[in-house]
Every structure is written in structure tokens, then in C-alpha cells.
Amino acid sequence: QVQLRESGGGLVRAGDSLRLSCAASGRRFSNYAMGWFRQAPGKEREFVAGINWSGSSTYYVDFVKGRFTVSRDNVKNTMHLQMNSLKPEDTAVYYCAARESLERTVYSGPIEYGYWGQGTQVTVSS
């Protein structure tokens, strides 16, 4: 299996930036499509951003387009989410996820991913 661990969350003010990281170990990282999800209290887990196995394709939910950037480093086995212009609505636990894929496809559904990290808390004050 693949083990995933998120880091980089914290408490910031609206308009600030954070850079989340997801470190992977186990199977070859480059064989996996990756995604970022978030879950606020009382709400369902929702898709934020995704990236295919090679990093050639990315996809973002409308709410974060132009503010967030997802990237990956297949040598260091890491994925990142650069979050700029943060809003209070971005407050949630952020999770990274992985699924086996060698296609250009970017996956946006939670059921499409088989591996998850433990999550990292992002809190944005008004």
C-alpha cells in the first residue's frame, strides 16, 4: 500500500497563504494520481484539486480556481497545494488521496481514491 501524510496546515488570517504538503511512501509514487480534499465540521468531504500521475494535468474546483495551485515532485515523492488569498470558507481539514493510474485522467470523486492521509487542519479567520 501507499502511506500518505499531510503537513503545513495552521491558523491564518483571511488573505494569507499556506502551502500544504503530502509525503508518500510505499509503492512507486509516479504510478498514482493524487488529489486534495477538504471536510468542514458537519459537511461531506469535497474535492479541492487533483493532479494526474505525471503532473501534466490538473483540475480545480471552481471555488479555488486562481487561488490554489497543486503540484507534485515524483523524485521526492511529494505533492503540494499552494493556497493563496485564503478565505474563512476555506477552513477545513485537508486530506491528500491517491489512486493507481497511468492515464492523464484527474479524479475528483472520493470513491475513486483508495488511499488517504490523516488530514491537516486549516483555519482561516475573518
Side-chain angles (χ1 to χ4, degrees), residues 26-41:
R27 298 180 182 178
R28 183 178 293 275
F29 182 68
S30 60
N31 288 349
Y32 287 81
M34 305 290 294
W36 286 100
F37 293 78
R38 66 188 184 187
Q39 187 168 22

Side-chain angles (χ1 to χ4, degrees), residues 2 4 19-24 27-36 49-58 60 69-82 97-107 113:
V2 175
L4 306 173
R19 189 175 191 241
L20 305 183
S21 297
C22 176
R27 298 180 182 178
R28 183 178 293 275
F29 182 68
S30 60
N31 288 349
Y32 287 81
M34 305 290 294
W36 286 100
I51 188 167
N52 76 325
W53 72 273
S54 68
S56 62
S57 297
T58 59
Y60 303 89
T69 302
V70 63
S71 62
R72 67 189 298 164
D73 186 333
N74 287 348
V75 175
K76 297 182 178 180
N77 289 354
T78 56
M79 177 180 64
H80 304 282
L81 184 67
Q82 178 65 46
R99 67 162 284 153
E100 295 180 345
S101 175
L102 292 176
E103 305 292 335
R104 288 197 66 194
T105 307
V106 177
Y107 303 89
Y113 291 89

Side-chain angles (χ1 to χ4, degrees), residues 37 44-47 97-98 107-116:
F37 293 78
E44 296 182 356
R45 189 169 300 185
E46 65 178 356
F47 173 80
Y107 303 89
S108 61
I111 62 173
E112 297 178 300
Y113 291 89
Y115 302 96
W116 296 85

